[in-house]
Amino acid sequence: GAGSSEQNGRCERVHQDLARIMRCLLHGAGLGPEYWSFALIHATYLLNRWPHKAIRMSPYQAMFNKLPDLSHLRIFGAKVEIFKQDKQGAKLDHRSTPGIFLHYAGSHTNVMVQDSITKSIKNSRHIAWDELHISSPIDKRPPMTEAIAGHLQPQRETKAKGPTTLRITPLTTNATMP
């Protein structure tokens, strides 16, 4: 029946996990519910690479008998520049168009992106990533950029106990000391 997920517990648990991941992806990227299908595909991609308690490995590892390579993972909703491959323009024409990363397509080298100008969905592998939305105004950046940028801040240095010494070695014989 509707609203009674306990009747189909095993299946519903996966749906709850996917829904939770989708909500996090959409909120973190600052995207609306119209992107739910892309968030679902990306959430499934991630969930298949996470270790599962019942099988003591990730579903990917169970299927392919090897650990998944996670070095290529990118942030859902990240800003990208899609390089134009189809036509050669004038020397000073723009060679890229802005877009949004939606999910991986077939392999981790091809990704689905939305062209921000035409709003069309494209399969591309020739893109430049701007995961922190550095090229966006601060007030237009999605919430996930603040979380990531906070982790990238340099750690505060603790004051050294006692006097610090600066050693200077002249590189030439006629160099003067500061």
Side-chain angles (χ1 to χ4, degrees):
S4 56
S5 58
E6 61 276 357
Q7 290 180 347
N8 195 10
R10 281 190 168 160
C11 179
E12 289 296 327
R13 180 65 203 178
V14 176
H15 290 169
Q16 288 174 2
D17 290 343
L18 287 170
R20 188 173 20 261
I21 297 167
M22 277 184 355
R23 280 192 302 274
C24 289
L25 291 173
L26 290 171
H27 175 70
L31 298 174
E34 64 273 17
Y35 292 94
W36 75 267
S37 61
F38 302 112
L40 176 62
I41 294 169
H42 195 72
T44 305
Y45 187 87
L46 294 174
L47 195 62
N48 283 334
R49 282 149 182 81
W50 287 343
H52 193 279
K53 186 169 77 170
I55 58 175
R56 298 179 188 221
M57 63 179 69
S58 70
Y60 179 93
Q61 187 177 358
M63 178 85 165
F64 298 107
N65 203 20
K66 65 179 182 176
L67 287 172
D69 178 16
L70 304 177
S71 63
H72 65 278
L73 284 182
R74 297 296 185 154
I75 297 171
F76 175 79
K79 191 173 183 180
V80 296
E81 285 292 321
I82 309 160
F83 296 114
K84 297 176 183 174
Q85 298 293 316
D86 50 350
K87 48 185 157 180
Q88 191 75 0
K91 187 173 212 117
L92 299 178
D93 284 351
H94 286 284
R95 302 271 170 109
S96 66
T97 183
I100 301 171
F101 167 63
L102 299 174
H103 64 85
Y104 297 99
S107 71
H108 66 273
T109 56
N110 290 348
V111 295
M112 297 303 287
V113 293
Q114 180 184 33
D115 188 318
S116 295
I117 296 170
T118 64
K119 302 298 183 201
S120 62
I121 308 298
K122 299 177 177 180
N123 183 339
S124 182
R125 70 178 289 177
H126 303 286
I127 57 176
W129 298 90
D130 182 10
E131 291 180 291
L132 289 178
H133 293 251
I134 299 293
S135 59
S136 300
I138 292 176
D139 59 332
K140 304 264 188 207
R141 293 180 185 169
M144 55 106 175
T145 59
E146 295 302 318
I148 295 169
H151 290 290
L152 298 178
Q153 297 295 326
Q155 299 295 323
R156 290 186 179 176
E157 294 181 21
T158 57
K159 291 190 176 186
K161 296 177 182 174
T164 56
T165 306
L166 177 64
R167 295 178 188 236
I168 300 172
T169 305
L171 298 177
T172 61
T173 55
N174 57 352
T176 58
M177 296 299 253

